[in-house]
Amino acid sequence: MKTALVTGIAGQDGSYLAELLLAKGYRVVGAVRDVQRTSDFLSSSLMSRVELVEWDMLNQVEMVDVLSRYQPAEVYNYAAYSSGVGMFDDPVGIGEVNGLAVARIMEAIREVDTNIRFCQASSSEMFGDAVESPQSEETPFQPRSPYGAAKLYAHSMIRIYRQRYGLFACSA
């Protein structure tokens, strides 16, 4: 049975992904800031079928420990400060969680097992005031917020880790 680690499992996209992975026969580990608090947000049906583990997006040593302990085949990073109201209130925190944490996760993957597949939740906010609609792979990035800039940093680091280290890493 494959194990998938999902950050942001208490959010809409993370919980839908967890349901899909469970239906495909995966063991799902939800990486959360606070296990007690998160259990209040998950449906009881999902709560009974996933394992929750505490995960600090700013602590690479803890990430290494969790990856070593649970040995996931896949890691999905859906945890992030969201866009919208307040995205200019804490630009440093947004940069840490939405940008630098992605590099930390990939470094932890490199240390534990380079065969772990990594998928990052990306954002159209990287395009900012796009010059065309719909956007394509050729549309230039022009983030207009800390959120968009942090997501673009994560997107860029994923490309770098793929090219430099041969990791299976993608933005979705």
Side-chain angles (χ1 to χ4, degrees):
M1 173 186 309
K2 279 188 183 178
T3 298
L5 184 133
V6 179
T7 69
I9 196 167
Q12 176 179 320
D13 294 343
S15 64
Y16 285 156
L17 175 62
E19 294 282 358
L20 175 70
L21 292 168
L22 288 164
K24 291 181 176 256
Y26 279 71
R27 170 187 178 214
V28 176
V29 177
V32 299
R33 276 183 289 192
D34 181 343
V35 170
Q36 288 304 114
R37 222 175 66 140
T38 301
S39 61
D40 295 340
F41 294 102
L42 291 177
S43 69
S44 58
S45 111
L46 186 58
M47 192 60 200
S48 66
R49 296 181 295 147
V50 301
E51 299 170 54
L52 295 181
V53 62
E54 296 205 359
W55 174 275
D56 182 349
M57 296 295 282
L58 307 181
N59 187 335
Q60 188 176 329
V61 172
E62 184 178 285
M63 291 175 180
V64 166
D65 178 58
V66 169
L67 293 177
S68 296
R69 195 169 357 128
Y70 289 92
Q71 301 179 345
E74 300 166 7
V75 173
Y76 297 89
N77 183 36
Y78 281 31
Y81 280 115
S82 62
S83 62
V85 176
M87 82 167 90
F88 288 89
D89 294 347
D90 185 10
V92 173
I94 289 170
E96 284 277 354
V97 171
N98 296 7
L100 287 172
V102 174
R104 285 186 187 100
I105 293 169
M106 288 189 296
E107 274 299 299
I109 288 171
R110 266 187 0 110
E111 186 175 332
V112 173
D113 180 359
T114 57
N115 292 311
I116 295 171
R117 296 167 150 253
F118 177 70
C119 182
Q120 162 70 14
S122 198
S123 173
S124 63
E125 290 285 330
M126 298 185 307
F127 295 108
D129 190 18
V131 296
E132 64 186 5
S133 185
Q135 291 81 46
S136 73
E137 288 82 8
E138 304 301 318
T139 306
F141 294 118
Q142 303 181 96
R144 297 176 46 159
S145 68
Y147 178 88
K151 286 291 191 171
L152 180 55
Y153 174 81
H155 181 79
S156 299
M157 291 304 289
I158 287 166
R159 179 182 37 80
I160 290 167
Y161 272 74
R162 254 195 332 264
Q163 292 170 346
R164 174 80 174 153
Y165 304 113
L167 292 185
F168 182 99
C170 64
S171 298

